[in-house]
Amino acid sequence: MTRIWAALLLGVATVPSAASAQSTITQTIAGTRLDVTATGEVTRVPDVAVISAGVVSRSATATAALQDTANRMARVLAALKRAGVAERDVQTSSVNLNPEYRYENNLPPQLVGYSASNQVTIRFRDIRNSGKILDALVAEGANQINGPSLTIDKPEGALDEARAKAVAAGRARAELYARSLGLRVARVVSVSESGGYAPPPPAPPMVMMAARGERDQTTINPGEQKLQVSLSMTFELQ
């Protein structure tokens, strides 16, 4: 019985706790260490355009300026609803009211009125028709439009494809170094991802007017967007 208890105690003593096991895990490299960086890149056509649209009004009183922007924004929101833009894709981004002064030499500033603005951020999921909707917004009173910012709604699949390409590129680079040194790649020691992102294209997309036509319409061309993932990889060569 004494021997059984001794064996049990010995077994417990040789099993480290989870905390100690996590703090003592290390990887040693017996051969040559090789650190490489690799990038995987894919392209996709953007499927979402984010555009800011708003109204700006000026009046002698603050109340009148705010009321005018509210009325015009109501028409803008109604136009978006008629165009099929979902409520979840329209978000108020700013409401501002500012006094306006006239400045003359050697005289104190004189209040001449107020300017009010109301801005909304809109996510257009049908990029091809977003220009037509923008024209409708202007017709309903929108007098400020900024954008577009073109993005990919669900980039996870594309980023995973970029990750796979980055891993393959890193592995191929390690094999190249190993052959040049007369060695072989024994194993991958570590992999670290520095980030997956969709950088903007070299020239930002612009809202453009059609070249010809009796009734020119605003058009937005989605083009292509690059998604990249960069990896830092450590290999053991033997």
Side-chain angles (χ1 to χ4, degrees):
M1 191 65 173
T2 302
R3 289 195 298 271
I4 295 175
W5 277 109
L8 290 175
L9 290 173
L10 180 59
V12 171
T14 57
V15 178
S17 65
S20 63
Q22 292 177 357
S23 62
T24 58
I25 291 177
T26 59
Q27 293 197 53
T28 59
I29 298 179
T32 300
R33 171 173 174 158
L34 173 65
D35 296 322
V36 300
T37 59
T39 299
E41 181 179 290
V42 296
T43 58
R44 293 290 187 274
V45 176
D47 53 7
V48 172
V50 180
I51 296 174
S52 174
V55 297
V56 177
S57 299
R58 290 177 174 82
S59 184
T61 66
T63 301
L66 282 174
Q67 187 61 55
D68 187 53
T69 57
N71 293 338
R72 293 164 68 181
M73 181 54 71
R75 299 199 304 269
V76 168
L77 295 177
L80 289 171
K81 186 175 182 179
R82 289 194 302 270
V85 178
E87 290 185 6
R88 66 188 177 94
D89 289 329
V90 181
Q91 183 180 52
T92 299
S93 55
S94 68
V95 177
N96 296 297
L97 176 67
N98 297 293
E100 294 187 338
Y101 296 93
R102 181 170 60 239
Y103 297 91
E104 296 182 3
N105 291 334
N106 301 321
L107 292 176
Q110 182 181 359
L111 180 65
V112 294
Y114 293 85
S115 64
S117 65
N118 192 328
Q119 300 279 337
V120 292
T121 300
I122 312 159
R123 292 173 61 87
F124 290 104
R125 300 180 186 275
D126 185 359
I127 294 180
R128 296 292 183 183
N129 289 324
S130 58
K132 185 194 308 181
I133 299 175
L134 290 179
D135 291 338
L137 298 185
V138 173
E140 292 296 336
N143 54 11
Q144 279 194 348
I145 293 179
N146 297 292
S149 173
L150 302 183
T151 63
I152 298 171
D153 187 32
K154 296 179 179 179
E156 292 81 7
L159 289 173
D160 284 345
E161 183 179 337
R163 290 183 179 100
K165 288 187 175 182
V167 170
R171 182 80 188 193
R173 191 167 301 167
E175 296 285 357
L176 174 63
Y177 278 113
R179 288 194 303 270
S180 300
L181 296 170
L183 302 172
R184 64 178 181 84
V185 176
R187 63 190 177 108
V188 179
V189 178
S190 68
V191 179
S192 175
E193 180 177 311
S194 60
Y197 58 95
M206 301 292 291
V207 178
M208 299 175 294
M209 299 300 296
R212 293 183 178 85
E214 295 181 1
R215 297 182 60 185
D216 292 342
Q217 292 183 342
T218 302
T219 59
I220 297 178
N221 298 319
E224 284 190 342
Q225 196 170 80
K226 294 180 182 179
L227 292 92
Q228 295 177 341
V229 172
S230 295
L231 299 179
S232 297
M233 306 178 69
T234 299
F235 296 87
E236 179 183 348
L237 308 183
Q238 293 182 354

